Amino acid sequence: RAGSATASVAARRLIDSAQSFQHLAYFRAYDGTVLLENLQIIPPAVREVEYAVALAGTSCASGSHDGCSLGGFFKRADLVVQAQFSLGLLAFVVVLLIGGVVIFNRIATRYCIAPIEKLFAIVNSFAKDPMAKLGSFGDDTLDELNELEQSIRKIASLLQVGIGLAGRETIARCLRTTGDINPIAVGIKVNCLFGFCDIRQFTDATECLQEQVMLFTNSVGHIVHHAVHDCGGFANKNIGDAFLVAWTGDKLERRIAQVQHLDRNKQIGAVFTDNQFEPVSRDKWSPTVGDKAMAAFIRLTICVRGATALTELVQNPVLQKRLPGYTVRLGCGLHVGWAIEGALGTQKKIDATYLSPATNVAMGLEGATKQYGNLLLISQETYKLFSPLVQRLVRRIDRVYATAGAEPFDLYTYDLPTSLAVPPDEAKERAMAEHVFDYPLAITPEFRAAFDEALELYLQGKWAEARPLFEAANALLVDQAKENKNLDAPDKPTLALLKLMAASDFKAPDDWAGCRELE
């Protein structure tokens, strides 16, 4: 008993010390003595998980509770702590996952999604308007992506340069569709103002310059293309020694519509604007698309003469020996008409171009410059596109028809002094049409009046009467040229008409109808 009492006292002390942290609510010794029964700490409603029973003793292993000490523990506080820890752990995991998702999204967006979207934006922008300059879509930090983007831009630029405006629909259609490229498609009917340029005596230049002929041709092409582009046109074809350029689009369509609805012969001294007619004034003058085309040809004509690089090239001893005093000259023709725009060729090779009788007329006009002795011929339809101010600067020199049965048209020229040579850089500063027409003409008003009078007699078939007037006009210009170095005398179109009339002894053919076939 003494031992039992001592054990009970020791157990009670142990219980007292353990109760503070183990949440002991009930304890029964192995002999059945209840040493602790603190029921007030146990709330009325206790879940099974919040209360735990512990057994201790040698006989407990057999499964019997007799002779075993038994303790009851209330674990709600521990469960609360565990729950809080679990919630904290869950919150940490959630924050970690969200942070991981955000970081991954940023990395994926920056290095994968954004570059792909950027490339798609570039391609879609190019497909929408193949001729538009690709703008900036932002910079990439990855060199590989920058290289890929630059490659796409270079390919797009090559397509723009290689196919040109005439192939814009072909490019857009191929980019919008899937599968193999199929260039075979219906063309588009448009109105175009065509300009055709040809380098004079190119065959001789090729034989003499040999490898340098590429540099020679490309230098001329550089001047031609930049002059045309700066004045609203575009290059269409490079044909060895010749260049086909064109103007098209809404501005040309509107100008043609204006010409078709206005009797321009009754509007002498007025210039058409968007809202009203105003007197011709350089301050209020708004260049038409025809004026800009004329300005481009004036600029390219004087620039090929003033280009230092070209001048040095043609000083080649072999070339100068074959053609003493050779200088670069371009024959040019301007004509406007309808055309079918599209791509010609197959999957192996395509060329974006225009199919039109107007291109043949432009080529024919260029060829006729050799007959008339000047460097630029303009058709009547093109003349109508000019503003009255520019119409006064050009001169009618004949009336012709392109082919048998075709409608005849008046033939015009722009008398630009052959001595006028301007470096391309200087001409670029005066590229706008408002300034190009400030250059002097190669004829005088007095000569122009005399020539026009003689031309009327020539067109009426009164060739015998026209002869002395042509000769007098030419003699007048020769005299005036002695005091004015800008004048070109004798006048070559006058000499060409005198030669034509002399071939039939200054008698018009019996079937003369005031025009002749363009040769």
Side-chain angles (χ1 to χ4, degrees), residues 299-321:
R299 174 179 162 184
L300 65 89
T301 300
I302 61 178
C303 283
V304 295
R305 301 172 186 163
T308 304
L310 282 174
T311 302
E312 293 175 353
L313 278 174
V314 299
Q315 294 306 312
N316 181 284
V318 179
L319 179 59
Q320 289 297 323
K321 182 178 180 180

Side-chain angles (χ1 to χ4, degrees), residues 215-239:
L215 180 60
F216 171 75
T217 306
N218 289 334
S219 297
V220 175
H222 178 82
I223 294 174
V224 172
H225 291 175
H226 278 75
V228 170
H229 278 261
D230 288 346
C231 292
F234 63 94
N236 179 245
K237 272 190 175 300
N238 304 324
I239 317 170

Side-chain angles (χ1 to χ4, degrees), residues 156-238:
S157 298
L158 286 173
L159 283 173
Q160 291 174 338
V161 173
I163 296 183
L165 187 63
R168 57 187 171 182
E169 289 299 327
T170 301
I171 297 174
R173 185 179 68 252
C174 291
L175 291 176
R176 288 194 297 261
T177 58
T178 59
D180 296 334
I181 297 176
N182 182 18
I184 302 175
V186 177
I188 302 173
K189 187 175 182 179
V190 297
N191 286 312
C192 280
L193 172 55
F194 292 106
F196 190 80
C197 311
D198 180 76
I199 304 174
R200 295 292 172 80
Q201 297 174 303
F202 182 76
T203 301
D204 294 307
T206 301
E207 294 176 355
C208 296
L209 294 177
Q210 296 291 316
E211 292 85 355
Q212 288 186 319
V213 73
M214 298 301 294
L215 180 60
F216 171 75
T217 306
N218 289 334
S219 297
V220 175
H222 178 82
I223 294 174
V224 172
H225 291 175
H226 278 75
V228 170
H229 278 261
D230 288 346
C231 292
F234 63 94
N236 179 245
K237 272 190 175 300
N238 304 324

